[in-house]
Amino acid sequence: MRILKALLSIVIAIALIYSLNRSWGAVPAVGPLLSPFTGFWQNAEKPDQLQEAELEIDGTREPIEVVFDSLHIPHVFAKNDYDAYFAQGYLTARDRLWQMEFQTHAAAGRLCEIVGDRALELDRYNRRLGMGFAAEKSAAFMMDDPRTKETVDAYTAGINAYIAQLKPADYPLEYKLLGYAPEPWKPIKCAYFLKYMSGVLALGADDVAMTNILAKYGPDVTRDLFPDYPRKEDPIIPVGTKWNFLPVYYLKSPMNPKPGKGDFAINWPRHDPAIGSNNWAVGAEKSATGYPILANDPHLSLSLPSIWYIIQLHTPTMNVMGASMPGSPGIIGGFNEHIAWGETNVGSDVLDFYKIKFKDNSRQEYWHDNKWKPVTRRIETVKIKGKPDVVDTVLYTHHGPVMYTQGQKSYAKNFPVGYAVRWVAHDAANELLTFYLLNRAKNHDDYQAALIPYGSPAQNFVFADVNKDIAISPNGRFPLKKKEQGKFLLDGTNPADDWVAYIPAVHNPHVKNPPRGFVSSANQSSTDPTYPYYLNWQFAPPERGMRINQRLTAMGKATVDSMAKLQYDNYNLRAATLLPKLLTQVRPGTLSAQQQQALKTVQQWRFNNDIAEVGATIFVEWEKRFMDALWADDMPDADTLPMKMPSADRTMRLIDENPTAKWVDDTRTPARETLADIVTRSFQITIDTLTRRHGPQGQKWQWATTKATRIAHLARLDALSAMNVQVGGGTSVVNATTTRTGPSWRLVVALGPTPQGYAALPGGQSGNPGSHYYLNMLEPWRQGKLTSLQFLAVPKATGISVHWTLK
């Protein structure tokens, strides 16, 4: 009996060991994760764990010196450019390898290899969108230029040098959690990363919703409710700026776009007003230093590891510091000894849908320009962890890929089935060359030359230099379109609807040293209507840009501190404009005691979206409820027939000019509502909803608590995320921090004989959740404080630092 028990124990132990050390479909092996020798215990790091070191690494050409300062920012000193980018690849991989791989896997449609078939439709979506097709073209294009080829080759070699020395115990935690290992980096992954960012910033589209509205209400109503330029706007290029070029040619708008509706799938991304950014530069005449000061805070989905990785690169050809993006070499936004620059998203219309007419069910040919043309087929093989591969065939026309045809399962909401996607990111471009040149730029001429090769996503590049010039340019490849071309779904058979060219890069909007003494952008309209080319019919709401311009106009002697305070500005200009209009319509006599208390709170609120404000909570919820009550009956956003609501700007014009318009009545009820009815009822619903969620009005109603900003780990692991971060802000304020989005980093640069940069990250430099440097910069970011950056001329930092030599 004892022998039997012993044998049974041995069998159970062996079975347990076997079970823990193998994967089960998409479920990774748990044993390696728990192992004291290779598991997650090995990922814990102390703040002082990094030590002085001399590392022997294959691939460097000459010795490289690296100084890590107290924020864990590396300062790379190399004797040639190749070694600088090699070191950047090595160091970035050391801190962010999993993030780099995960994002490029996502863009390439390879997440199934990591998490199994639950990512199948997402992988198919990215492949059907043409991410691989686009990355291959751009990789070949950037490897054609000797400058960017050397940059990418060196960066790739550095990453692989780091990967080569890893043992399983050294793998970043996420590899252990998900049960896989790093693979060698390839140059195309840099292209995939750039396409990934184009997808984040330049994929939103409302073409389907607008086509549905056009079909239901006709062109007159559609253009009235969805105008091509808002009533209130303060464009990026100041009104009155003269255009110093003759347009290539004008294209007239079609008089009457044809109404129609398609067979729609689900989940295509809409334009997201929270994905935006701010940047500005004040000229020497408005600066206390006598030199320009530049500020930038790009708004993206807040995530961990942090989106940006701060680094300094010093070689005989450059000395540059700022934010890089793990997966792409060079500095994306920052400063050198001569200039500073930064970016915000333009929001131009660079994605259109074309209805494809196939010859027959074989889909071998499609009709265009009065002839049948051949369809190209691209075979996509999706490898799935623990399961057989899935082979997918994507149809390509000259417009682009036909993502979904009749009967195919779709991942995307508001996506028209049977339409080809024409997207600017499909065309080869060399965005890396722009940043290569900006990193070395010395003046405004260099800045302008650097912008010419840039493709997508289109960005507002703000600029300042030690020569006391400031400038801004909405820049990228903009299709040369008819007015409103792409506002609605397009006819894929008609060559008149094709993209035929891009606006010449030298005709992109630009202003240098405007009379007002500053330049700025907050994703609002790029220009006023005098600009001779069509960029889009809608941009971000104007309030952030207007508030920035108000503050900058009033400044006389701007300082770094005043720039930082403006970045953290929580004044809600939307509320200051809309709330008084709503309050005049409320019928207090119909409110309960609790609703009257809330009304008094919001009446006394001074329009600041600060952390402890209750008024901000009430207004933001009320605005959503009011817009829904006003528009949702006429323009419902249904899965079967998606539509969109008119903008806040157009809604306020309706309140001011036509408060008895037919749109005010809620057609879902038998009564005919007035504006006062809609406003009062939406307020009552707001307070009742907040009470159900948070109890009676009190501390739980405070803005930061109800907004509950979350900085989520990329793998959506709550234990590795920063939850319920207490911070103010909001979609329509300068400090545009929402529940899931916000300033992905903040930068202020004071130009001068010795430039000085200041920054904040919503996280830290390290991608290791077990590191002190994973979240060490979050608290200053939350408080709106900036940390001084050490811009070194020699490899020696002040205060606590660690010195490495790579050779």
Side-chain angles (χ1 to χ4, degrees):
M1 190 66 180
R2 290 179 181 175
I3 295 174
L4 183 61
K5 287 182 178 179
L7 288 173
L8 183 60
S9 298
I10 291 171
V11 169
I12 291 173
I14 292 173
L16 183 61
I17 292 170
Y18 174 77
S19 300
L20 291 174
N21 284 277
R22 61 153 292 180
S23 60
W24 297 87
V27 179
V30 178
L33 176 66
L34 301 177
S35 167
F37 306 105
T38 62
F40 70 91
W41 320 94
Q42 300 294 322
N43 295 94
E45 292 180 4
K46 297 177 182 178
D48 59 352
Q49 184 160 318
L50 197 65
Q51 300 295 321
E52 302 278 329
E54 186 172 290
L55 307 179
E56 297 280 347
I57 301 173
D58 288 340
T60 63
R61 294 177 175 175
E62 298 182 78
I64 308 164
E65 294 187 81
V66 181
V67 177
F68 293 90
D69 64 27
S70 60
L71 293 174
H72 197 68
I73 295 171
H75 305 258
V76 176
F77 288 80
K79 296 176 182 177
N80 59 77
D81 289 348
Y82 181 94
D83 281 347
Y85 293 119
F86 180 98
Q88 184 184 9
Y90 182 92
L91 296 167
T92 308
R94 181 191 178 277
D95 283 321
R96 302 291 189 85
L97 179 60
W98 178 81
Q99 175 189 14
M100 297 162 71
E101 268 216 318
F102 187 79
Q103 291 178 154
T104 53
H105 269 65
R110 295 182 57 201
L111 289 182
C112 282
E113 298 174 28
I114 300 171
V115 301
D117 61 2
R118 59 184 146 162
L120 177 59
E121 293 311 319
L122 176 58
D123 279 354
R124 283 162 54 97
Y125 163 79
N126 279 315
R127 290 166 182 261
R128 286 178 162 272
L129 178 61
M131 284 289 204
F133 167 77
E136 289 162 11
K137 291 172 68 175
S138 285
F141 197 68
M142 68 188 183
M143 298 302 277
D144 236 13
D145 186 290
R147 295 163 293 184
T148 48
K149 183 181 188 308
E150 181 183 60
T151 300
V152 172
D153 282 343
Y155 188 73
T156 298
I159 296 169
N160 287 331
Y162 178 74
I163 293 173
Q165 70 184 32
L166 288 179
K167 299 175 182 177
D170 305 322
Y171 290 171
L173 177 61
E174 292 87 352
Y175 288 104
K176 299 173 183 179
L177 286 170
L178 297 170
Y180 72 113
E183 66 181 21
W185 191 267
K186 297 178 181 178
I188 194 172
K189 288 196 171 190
C190 295
Y192 266 119
F193 177 77
L194 293 170
K195 298 307 172 185
Y196 171 82
M197 289 311 301
S198 288
V200 170
L201 294 168
L203 261 185
D206 293 311
D207 306 30
V208 171
M210 291 306 302
T211 299
N212 290 337
I213 292 168
L214 180 65
K216 183 173 182 178
Y217 294 110
D220 292 339
V221 169
T222 302
R223 287 189 178 131
D224 174 50
L225 294 183
F226 300 91
D228 292 341
Y229 196 78
R231 177 179 64 160
K232 292 186 177 179
E233 183 59 287
D234 197 343
I236 292 167
I237 305 301
V239 174
T241 299
K242 304 299 182 185
W243 310 112
N244 59 351
F245 56 81
L246 290 175
V248 176
Y249 55 81
Y250 291 98
L251 291 167
K252 293 183 179 179
S253 173
M255 295 300 292
N256 290 297
K258 294 180 181 179
K261 61 181 181 180
D263 178 7
F264 304 126
I266 46 177
N267 288 326
W268 186 264
R270 294 285 184 85
H271 284 290
D272 185 352
I275 301 292
S277 310
N278 308 313
N279 64 17
W280 60 83
V282 296
E285 67 274 23
K286 290 183 75 71
S287 166
T289 67
Y291 283 90
I293 304 176
L294 179 142
N296 188 201
D297 55 293
H299 307 153
L300 296 165
S301 294
L302 296 174
S303 61
L304 290 169
S306 292
I307 293 170
W308 303 96
Y309 184 71
I310 304 174
I311 193 169
Q312 180 181 1
L313 302 175
H314 187 292
T315 75
T317 73
M318 64 177 170
N319 184 15
V320 61
M321 186 174 190
S324 67
M325 287 190 134
S328 181
I331 303 299
I332 304 296
F335 61 100
N336 61 29
E337 295 161 312
H338 308 282
I339 77 162
W341 79 97
E343 302 89 12
T344 68
N345 201 37
V346 172
S348 51
D349 187 5
V350 292
L351 181 144
D352 289 333
F353 299 109
Y354 288 85
K355 179 66 175 176
I356 300 302
K357 178 183 177 181
F358 292 107
K359 187 174 184 178
D360 51 42
N361 288 337
S362 70
R363 300 188 176 101
Q364 299 285 338
E365 295 177 287
Y366 69 102
W367 186 254
H368 176 262
D369 197 15
N370 293 315
K371 61 177 73 76
W372 295 109
K373 296 185 176 181
V375 171
T376 302
R377 281 169 158 72
R378 180 182 171 100
I379 306 301
E380 298 281 357
T381 302
V382 184
K383 297 183 181 298
I384 303 176
K385 186 176 184 178
K387 292 192 176 181
D389 297 350
V390 170
V391 178
D392 202 12
T393 301
V394 185
L395 311 180
Y396 277 77
T397 69
H398 78 286
H399 296 297
V402 182
M403 287 186 66
Y404 297 101
T405 55
Q406 204 72 30
Q408 289 180 324
K409 185 177 179 181
S410 169
Y411 174 83
K413 182 173 185 176
N414 308 325
F415 187 87
V417 171
Y419 283 70
V421 178
R422 181 69 174 99
W423 185 31
V424 67
H426 287 152
D427 293 351
N430 192 351
E431 290 85 6
L432 284 183
L433 182 57
T434 288
F435 299 114
Y436 178 95
L437 296 171
L438 282 173
N439 289 186
R440 295 160 173 78
K442 296 181 178 179
N443 51 47
H444 180 263
D445 288 345
D446 290 348
Y447 153 79
Q448 282 196 294
L451 299 189
I452 289 175
Y454 189 80
S456 69
Q459 299 288 289
N460 300 298
F461 285 86
V462 70
F463 164 88
D465 69 10
V466 294
N467 302 315
K468 303 184 180 181
D469 289 327
I470 60 173
I472 197 165
S473 178
N475 187 77
R477 283 186 176 171
F478 302 120
L480 187 61
K481 291 187 175 187
K482 299 170 283 190
K483 186 178 180 182
E484 294 189 342
Q485 182 180 347
K487 187 173 183 176
F488 311 99
L489 298 175
L490 295 169
D491 180 1
T493 70
N494 185 359
D497 281 349
D498 284 8
W499 291 12
V500 294
Y502 286 110
I503 296 170
V506 293
H507 291 186
N508 286 348
H510 174 264
V511 66
K512 175 185 177 185
N513 298 330
R516 66 186 184 181
F518 67 87
V519 292
S520 73
S521 75
N523 319 112
Q524 74 271 42
S525 298
S526 298
T527 71
D528 67 15
T530 65
Y531 182 63
Y533 299 110
Y534 174 72
L535 298 180
N536 202 353
W537 68 275
Q538 64 173 347
F539 291 87
E543 289 88 2
R544 276 189 296 116
M546 293 173 72
R547 174 64 176 169
I548 290 168
N549 291 348
Q550 288 173 0
R551 289 283 305 275
L552 293 178
T553 298
M555 285 185 190
K557 294 293 181 180
T559 64
V560 168
D561 185 56
S562 59
M563 298 293 97
K565 287 180 178 177
L566 180 51
Q567 287 181 330
Y568 200 67
D569 185 277
N570 284 327
Y571 186 76
N572 192 330
L573 191 59
R574 168 83 61 81
T577 307
L578 177 59
L579 183 57
K581 302 179 192 296
L582 298 181
L583 289 174
T584 61
Q585 297 291 332
V586 175
R587 294 177 173 141
T590 65
L591 305 182
S592 67
Q594 200 160 42
Q595 292 163 359
Q596 294 213 12
Q597 179 191 7
L599 180 63
K600 184 176 181 180
T601 298
V602 80
Q603 286 172 332
Q604 295 173 344
W605 178 50
R606 299 276 70 88
F607 314 125
N608 287 307
N609 281 26
D610 293 333
I611 291 172
E613 291 287 349
V614 173
T617 299
I618 296 172
F619 171 75
V620 170
E621 183 69 24
W622 188 12
E623 182 189 14
K624 288 188 292 187
R625 298 284 175 177
F626 167 69
M627 292 289 284
D628 183 75
L630 184 62
W631 297 113
D633 59 322
D634 301 301
M635 293 158 199
D637 190 14
D639 286 346
T640 54
L641 198 67
M643 297 186 184
K644 65 175 289 178
M645 297 179 187
S647 67
D649 176 81
R650 183 63 185 87
T651 300
M652 284 187 272
R653 181 154 71 91
L654 179 96
I655 294 172
D656 291 340
E657 299 176 2
N658 196 6
T660 61
K662 68 173 185 176
W663 309 109
V664 173
D665 176 46
D666 189 343
T667 58
R668 296 168 294 189
T669 67
R672 181 173 180 81
E673 286 82 6
T674 65
L675 184 60
D677 293 331
I678 293 291
V679 170
T680 302
R681 182 60 185 149
S682 63
F683 181 77
Q684 291 170 327
I685 294 172
T686 294
I687 306 311
D688 292 347
T689 300
L690 291 173
T691 302
R692 282 196 305 273
R693 289 178 188 166
H694 310 295
Q697 183 177 321
Q699 285 190 353
K700 291 184 179 179
W701 286 41
Q702 291 180 354
W703 175 233
T705 300
T706 61
K707 177 162 63 73
T709 294
R710 173 186 182 184
I711 306 177
H713 186 270
L714 273 175
R716 296 297 183 262
L717 301 170
D718 287 355
L720 307 184
S721 304
M723 311 292 285
N724 197 22
V725 179
Q726 293 291 292
V727 62
T731 301
S732 59
V733 305
V734 179
N735 177 22
T737 308
T738 69
T739 301
R740 295 291 181 88
T741 63
S744 56
W745 88 305
R746 295 190 181 101
L747 171 72
V748 174
V749 182
L751 278 300
T754 303
Q756 181 59 57
Y758 304 82
L761 276 180
Q765 285 283 96
S766 177
N768 177 14
S771 169
H772 167 76
Y773 300 105
Y774 184 66
L775 285 173
N776 66 305
M777 297 177 75
L778 175 59
E779 185 58 16
W781 175 90
R782 185 189 73 81
Q783 296 177 1
K785 296 179 180 178
L786 300 178
T787 302
S788 177
L789 299 175
Q790 295 193 51
F791 184 53
L792 306 181
V794 295
K796 184 174 179 60
T798 59
I800 299 171
S801 62
V802 173
H803 189 275
W804 276 13
T805 301
L806 313 181
K807 64 179 185 178

